[in-house]
Amino acid sequence: MSAVTDRLPTFPWDKLEPYKATAAAHPDGIVDLSVGTPVDPVPELIQRALVAAADSPGYPTVWGTVALRDALTGWVERRLGARGVAHTNVLPVVGSKELVAWLPTQLGLGPGDQVAYPRLAYPTYEVGARLARAEPVAYDDPLADLDPARVKLLWLNSPSNPTGRVLAKDELIRIVAWAREHGVLVFSDECYLELGWEAEPVSVLHPDVCGGTYEGIVAVHSLSKRSNLAGYRAAFLAGDAGVLGDLLEIRKHGGMMTPAPVQAATVAALGDDTHVAEQRERYAARRAALRGALEAHGFRIEHSEASLYLWVTRDEPCWETVAHLAGLGILAAPGDFYGPAGDRFVRVAFTATDERVAAAVKRLGG
């Protein structure tokens, strides 16, 4: 066990505990804007679907029910603009974090192979590489910064966690063409795609990007944020049938099955756009309130055109900013959690309740 844990970085959120204690001591309680976990209710139609499928005594299948695969292919075509999506082009997974962490291992990567991800990124991309004993490599521009002879897995993340940056369609086209030319497998983390504010995110599965073929590309999607289903662990992959077919066989052996009630809930969630629009409205209002208050307090906001976060700075070391906000009873995530390039930023989530967001705005002087 120690040989595995020795390969991993310190779990970053543990470092935040002293600041959390400071924020929690505020007379009006903590406003936790750090992790970004959903706080609003699971929509009723999804809860009903889960309950209706609760009597599921048998084992679920790794590939999911036919109804689930129909829901996945239908959503990918309707929402992402993809064309000709078959059941072989989709695969449910047990939450996107599990997939990110274990994908390099399941792909058979190891020493000598490189797993590349954005310079500012979700820490689990690096963790996945380290679990597989592959080499983690951060990039600003994959075409300029990476050796295509060594990179076996290229992670894209648009909209970005933590920055909220959206990759333009032309940039996606350029990266996908380069990756295909060099035989580099692309996995695009698009979990925040339905949360664009000042930009319209585009999937790598869009025909303008992929040219109508899914060869060498896979998109990762999650229902955690768009449907408040973080507790359900509902996510899926869509793209290259050959890659997904291999992953399906591996995951069958590993017993990586989405529970049957969650599969039924996913069908209901993907079949309804109304609750997604309602949740977007909630987040839009919280985002606007926090953005205005942070700017008035002296923060500068960069990128943040999409996702559930504001990427903000006071042009000082991030932990000084974390301490300053904790003194106001507000907990934010230090930017260096997402790589050394974030060491003068903090990530502020707008997933708190309306009441807690209003409390943060008041404390910031809004």
Side-chain angles (χ1 to χ4, degrees), residues 18-281:
Y19 302 90
K20 185 174 184 179
T22 298
H26 190 279
D28 188 35
I30 188 173
V31 179
D32 192 344
L33 306 179
S34 61
V35 177
T37 189
V39 298
D40 299 301
V42 173
E44 284 290 336
L45 85 162
I46 300 175
Q47 292 191 47
R48 288 196 298 270
L50 184 83
V51 171
D55 186 14
S56 298
Y59 290 111
T61 64
V62 173
W63 201 13
T65 63
V66 171
L68 176 59
R69 283 179 262 144
D70 283 343
L72 297 178
T73 57
W75 184 88
V76 168
E77 292 193 345
R78 185 179 82 252
R79 183 61 186 85
L80 305 184
R83 296 289 179 267
V85 182
H87 282 196
T88 52
N89 297 117
V90 294
L91 178 64
V93 295
V94 192
S96 57
K97 183 168 185 175
E98 169 263 304
L99 182 279
V100 173
W102 293 106
L103 179 65
T105 299
Q106 291 176 13
L107 291 173
L109 304 187
D113 298 326
Q114 290 185 341
V115 175
Y117 49 85
R119 183 83 57 195
L120 284 163
Y122 184 46
T124 311
Y125 303 134
E126 177 186 354
V127 167
R130 293 188 179 279
L131 285 170
R133 297 181 182 269
E135 179 185 354
V137 180
Y139 66 82
D140 291 309
D141 177 353
L143 278 67
D145 299 344
L146 301 178
D147 177 0
R150 297 194 61 197
V151 175
K152 303 303 180 185
L153 172 61
L154 173 64
W155 278 108
L156 303 180
N157 181 208
S158 176
S160 164
N161 174 14
T163 69
R165 181 188 174 207
V166 172
L167 295 177
K169 184 187 291 185
D170 289 347
E171 192 167 1
L172 289 172
I173 292 171
R174 181 175 66 99
I175 294 170
V176 168
W178 173 84
R180 283 175 168 167
E181 178 185 354
H182 296 287
V184 176
L185 178 61
V186 175
F187 265 67
S188 181
D189 182 345
E190 301 174 354
C191 290
Y192 297 92
L193 184 135
E194 293 195 282
L195 295 164
W197 309 111
E198 295 157 6
E200 185 61 40
V202 178
S203 172
V204 291
L205 302 184
H206 191 284
D208 292 349
V209 176
C210 69
T213 172
Y214 306 126
E215 179 186 357
I217 57 173
V218 177
V220 182
H221 284 270
S222 168
L223 281 73
S224 293
K225 306 303 194 293
R226 50 96 71 190
S227 297
N228 299 334
L229 295 187
Y232 284 47
R233 312 314 302 134
F236 63 93
L237 308 178
D240 189 314
V243 173
L244 298 190
D246 287 345
L247 289 175
L248 174 60
E249 291 304 310
I250 293 165
R251 295 171 70 85
K252 283 179 181 178
H253 284 290
M256 294 179 171
M257 301 172 281
T258 302
V262 174
Q263 293 189 29
T266 300
V267 173
L270 293 178
D272 178 73
D273 294 331
T274 300
H275 78 275
V276 180
E278 291 172 348
Q279 189 61 44
R280 274 182 56 89
E281 290 179 6

Side-chain angles (χ1 to χ4, degrees), residues 332-350:
D336 66 2
F337 277 11
Y338 309 95
D343 64 357
R344 297 180 74 82
F345 286 80
V346 298
R347 192 195 74 172
V348 177
F350 41 90

